[in-house]
Amino acid sequence: MCKIHVLTSCNRKTISAWLLFLMELFLVLPCIFSTEIFKPAALQDQHLNHVRIKRGWMWKQIFVLEEQEITEPLYVGQLRSDLDNHDGSFKYILSGDGAKTVFTIDENTGAIYVLKKLDREEKPSYTLRAQVINSLTGVPVEAESEFIIKIQDINDNEPKFINEPYVAVVPEMSPEGTFVMQVTATDMDDPSYGNSARLIYSILQGQPHFSIEPKSGIIRVASKMDRETKDKYFVIIQAKDMVGNVGGLSTTTTVTITLSDVNDNGPKFKEKIYDMSILESALVGEIVGTVIADDRDIGENAEIIYIIEEKGDFNMFDINTDPITQEGIITLNKLVDYESKRRYNIRVKAINRYFDERFIKQDLFEDTTAIRIHIQDVDEPPVFVQNAYYMEIYENASIGSHVNSVTAKDPDITNSPIRYSIIHNQFSKLFGIDAHNGSIITLKPLDREVAPWHNITVTATESQNPIHVSKVPVYIQVMDVNDHAPQFSKKYDTFVCELSRPGQPIQTISAVDQDDPALGHYFSYSLAHKTTNFTVRDNGDNTATIFTTKSMYSYEDNPLTYLVIVISDNETPSLSSTNTLTIRVCDCGKDGNAESCKAQGFLSSLGINGGAFIAISVGVLLILVLSILMFLKHRKKHEKLKEKGEECRQNFVKYDDEGGGEQDTEAFDIIGLRNQTVMREPKLNKKIRRDIPSLYRMSLRLGPDVVEFREFLSEKLEEANTDLSVLSPDTMHHYAFEGTGSMCGSLSSIGSTCSHMELNI
């Protein structure tokens, strides 16, 4: 017979405790009607072999209700062996998870007690081990067995939302059922037991604009909303356990839902007519005024494009959109004139830059307004009829000749009289202007060859308001007249050979003319006097060629011939000039090469014949060689003096001489002082050779050979090196003499203490 003693204590008189008691009773019923209870596996195997065995441990699964207030040990279950006769011979031992701290056992009876309040969410179960031994011998009566004590859940935890805070964005005017977001809450109670962890979601605030699915927590749009009316909603969501029944615990969270903008509004002008004004002196591009259309949308949905409709005076103005303020900036496209037109009318249209296809059929994306622009009169300076004036006058015009006129007008209605003047510069002094009618005249003679153009600046000033001045450039071109005769283009060096034949060309000549005729130059050439030696032939291309007319020319009889040539231009009246061509006679040799005459002609012009030129050349060469040798010798000696160091002589030649104003002549003669320092007696060198021929003889190749000349140079160098009376190269000349009679005194620093310092070289 199955004997199970289960005692359950119910200290909490709540509905949950009664439900637990009924459940435990339901679990015990099978044991009441059963002839067998839980036994260890070994005993079950013996039973299968139809062997009568002893009973083993006897217990059921033990449950403990959480959150019970424990003031004294609370009985929760019973352990018993079927061998126990309740005579005190058995001893029960409890070990494992929570033994002696959370749970304890009665050693004699096997009753299990809980010692403190338990929390299922902290630890849902405990695994323990039970053992029964003979209290007298200590020998185990039953094998050690493991059992579990489970903590029974009660609804002691409220739901909690995760991933807070909740923020969502949904486009305005979204249709019903549009998904917004999903919220999620969790409950720490046992979801496998009862309804403590089963949640239901609901909206406490936010209807009728939003709805929520009770089981999933998905928030959806319940009605269309306009951002321009309200752009942000705070929806309060509740999560409640126990499937929302009475007694369930709940929590709330706030979902911030912002409506994003869609382009469902078009621009609207605040006024239907705008009045603006601008000065008539305004330049192209100046701002006339601004207009703005209001768009209730934001961001790119509120961006506006302004255009001027092609009606009225649309081409006089332009409009652009300010990207920051979204204003329409109207600017001047053409110059305006108060005297011509005083008011302009335009129509401006405002259009959304971007469109939303859902609302494009509503025709809400443009608006039009009228603008009246008034022109304001200003006192303007005079205006010249032309932006620049180009005038012409001949260079032979007399002083006071009329060049041309400039004209300026007062653009205002008053039409004030104009006064003209010239801003003078170095060129404007050649011209004058009538202050009343603007006529320009010459004040000095003009010369095209000096300045072909003259640039002047003319001003126009209102007589009634002198501060209004206008300027205009005037360009005056000086026209050419034939006032210069042609001349040789260069100086010619012409030669003729003594053995020339008649008809040979000896020189081609050309001419230049400072004038600049419109049809170009054409020069004609002729001889001023008839001659039997030469003739001139016009080549037809502004050049002419000189030809010989006889076969023999003599240098001894007539070395130079002067040929006078007349050059005429083709202007009206024609001008001509006489030019003299010098022709030299030279010996061209048997081959008749006239190029050799050029060198002879150059020497002849200097009065030097061929032999003298050779002698001079040889002399210059000898002087050059001697100079090089003396330089090398002096350099070598200077290097030796540097090596000797202190043996080098230091010579100081001091002249205390400073200019003394008007009585400067009382100073010492510096040249005399210097010559006096180096003065020495002339010495006769007996080694000087007297048999050196002259340079002329050397030019004729009659001088000494190279060996003799080298000996001569060596003797001269030796004499220079052995003459100790010559000053050393490292000599300082110091002048510090100040003359008397200067009214201003001396400004020199030579008389200071520094001038008496000893100089070391």
Side-chain angles (χ1 to χ4, degrees), residues 471-689:
K471 300 178 182 179
V472 68
V474 178
Y475 306 99
I476 302 176
Q477 183 180 11
V478 181
M479 306 297 292
D480 183 51
V481 295
N482 191 23
D483 56 347
H484 291 84
Q487 303 286 337
F488 274 152
S489 59
K490 64 178 182 178
K491 184 178 180 181
Y492 293 99
D493 195 9
T494 307
F495 303 93
V496 62
C497 296
E498 290 182 320
L499 301 179
S500 295
R501 297 187 302 274
Q504 286 185 339
I506 62 172
Q507 183 68 61
T508 298
I509 59 176
S510 61
V512 293
D513 194 334
Q514 296 185 36
D515 295 323
D516 187 17
L519 300 178
H521 289 293
Y522 179 76
F523 303 125
S524 59
Y525 303 86
S526 61
L527 293 177
H529 309 287
K530 292 184 178 180
T531 177
T532 58
N533 295 328
F534 304 97
T535 186
V536 62
R537 180 184 302 172
D538 195 330
N539 297 325
D541 57 356
N542 287 339
T543 63
T545 304
I546 309 300
F547 291 91
T548 59
T549 56
K550 64 180 183 178
S551 58
M552 292 294 293
Y553 296 90
S554 174
Y555 176 79
E556 288 77 7
D557 296 339
N558 192 9
L560 297 176
T561 301
Y562 300 99
L563 193 63
V564 181
I565 300 175
V566 178
I567 306 176
S568 304
D569 57 23
N570 61 334
E571 294 297 309
T572 303
S574 177
L575 295 180
S576 62
S577 64
T578 57
N579 301 266
T580 302
L581 181 66
T582 302
I583 303 175
R584 305 178 188 275
V585 180
C586 70
D587 183 7
C588 302
K590 296 180 180 180
D591 55 356
N593 184 13
E595 293 296 328
S596 61
C597 297
K598 293 184 179 180
Q600 295 180 13
F602 173 74
L603 295 175
S604 298
S605 62
L606 298 178
I608 303 174
N609 57 18
F613 176 74
I614 295 174
I616 292 173
S617 300
V618 173
V620 171
L621 179 61
L622 290 176
I623 293 173
L624 180 61
V625 172
L626 181 60
S627 300
I628 294 173
L629 292 175
M630 291 182 67
F631 172 75
L632 295 176
K633 185 68 174 178
H634 173 72
R635 182 177 180 182
K636 183 176 181 182
K637 180 179 179 181
H638 186 63
E639 292 177 354
K640 290 181 179 181
L641 290 175
K642 286 184 178 181
E643 295 176 357
K644 291 180 181 181
E646 296 180 356
E647 295 179 3
C648 180
R649 289 188 297 152
Q650 300 179 2
N651 299 326
F652 293 83
V653 182
K654 182 175 181 182
Y655 302 91
D656 293 335
D657 187 1
E658 179 177 347
E662 292 79 1
Q663 300 183 12
D664 216 10
T665 55
E666 297 181 8
F668 294 101
D669 187 357
I670 297 176
I671 299 176
L673 291 173
R674 182 173 181 180
N675 294 338
Q676 202 172 30
T677 304
V678 299
M679 189 176 296
R680 63 184 184 276
E681 293 294 334
K683 296 181 180 180
L684 181 60
N685 192 342
K686 297 180 179 180
K687 296 182 180 181
I688 297 177
R689 297 176 61 92

Side-chain angles (χ1 to χ4, degrees), residues 158-198:
E158 64 182 16
K160 292 186 180 298
F161 283 97
I162 60 176
N163 301 325
E164 289 184 307
Y166 292 102
V167 178
V169 178
V170 63
E172 65 171 329
M173 307 303 292
S174 296
E176 297 180 8
T178 302
F179 173 83
V180 179
M181 70 176 308
Q182 184 177 13
V183 296
T184 303
T186 59
D187 196 320
M188 295 180 62
D189 292 326
D190 189 358
S192 63
Y193 176 75
N195 296 324
S196 299
R198 297 179 62 184

Side-chain angles (χ1 to χ4, degrees), residues 684-694 703-719:
L684 181 60
N685 192 342
K686 297 180 179 180
K687 296 182 180 181
I688 297 177
R689 297 176 61 92
R690 303 297 184 182
D691 56 350
I692 302 301
S694 65
D705 57 12
V706 178
V707 176
E708 292 178 350
F709 182 70
R710 186 176 301 170
E711 291 178 359
F712 169 74
L713 293 179
S714 298
E715 292 174 359
K716 289 296 184 182
L717 289 174
E718 183 179 359
E719 179 185 359

Side-chain angles (χ1 to χ4, degrees), residues 363-513:
D363 195 22
L364 298 175
F365 300 101
E366 63 179 40
D367 193 19
T368 305
T369 186
I371 300 177
R372 295 180 298 200
I373 302 175
H374 303 273
I375 309 303
Q376 295 182 353
D377 185 29
V378 295
D379 191 4
E380 300 175 276
V383 177
F384 282 96
V385 176
Q386 301 179 19
N387 294 328
Y389 288 87
Y390 295 87
M391 303 178 181
E392 296 178 350
I393 188 172
Y394 284 99
E395 63 178 326
N396 61 347
S398 60
I399 297 176
S401 298
H402 176 74
V403 181
N404 211 323
S405 299
V406 297
T407 303
K409 296 181 179 180
D410 183 5
D412 300 320
I413 299 177
T414 57
N415 195 17
S416 176
I418 305 300
R419 298 293 179 262
Y420 302 92
S421 64
I422 295 178
I423 299 178
H424 290 289
N425 53 38
Q426 59 178 343
F427 300 109
S428 63
K429 295 179 181 179
L430 299 175
F431 303 93
I433 190 170
D434 190 303
H436 297 279
N437 58 24
S439 297
I440 299 176
I441 61 174
T442 60
L443 299 179
K444 294 182 180 181
L446 304 177
D447 189 352
R448 189 203 66 84
E449 286 71 34
V450 175
W453 282 90
H454 296 279
N455 303 332
I456 62 175
T457 301
V458 175
T459 63
T461 307
E462 290 184 10
S463 59
Q464 298 178 0
N465 193 354
I467 64 173
H468 287 166
V469 180
S470 298
K471 300 178 182 179
V472 68
V474 178
Y475 306 99
I476 302 176
Q477 183 180 11
V478 181
M479 306 297 292
D480 183 51
V481 295
N482 191 23
D483 56 347
H484 291 84
Q487 303 286 337
F488 274 152
S489 59
K490 64 178 182 178
K491 184 178 180 181
Y492 293 99
D493 195 9
T494 307
F495 303 93
V496 62
C497 296
E498 290 182 320
L499 301 179
S500 295
R501 297 187 302 274
Q504 286 185 339
I506 62 172
Q507 183 68 61
T508 298
I509 59 176
S510 61
V512 293
D513 194 334

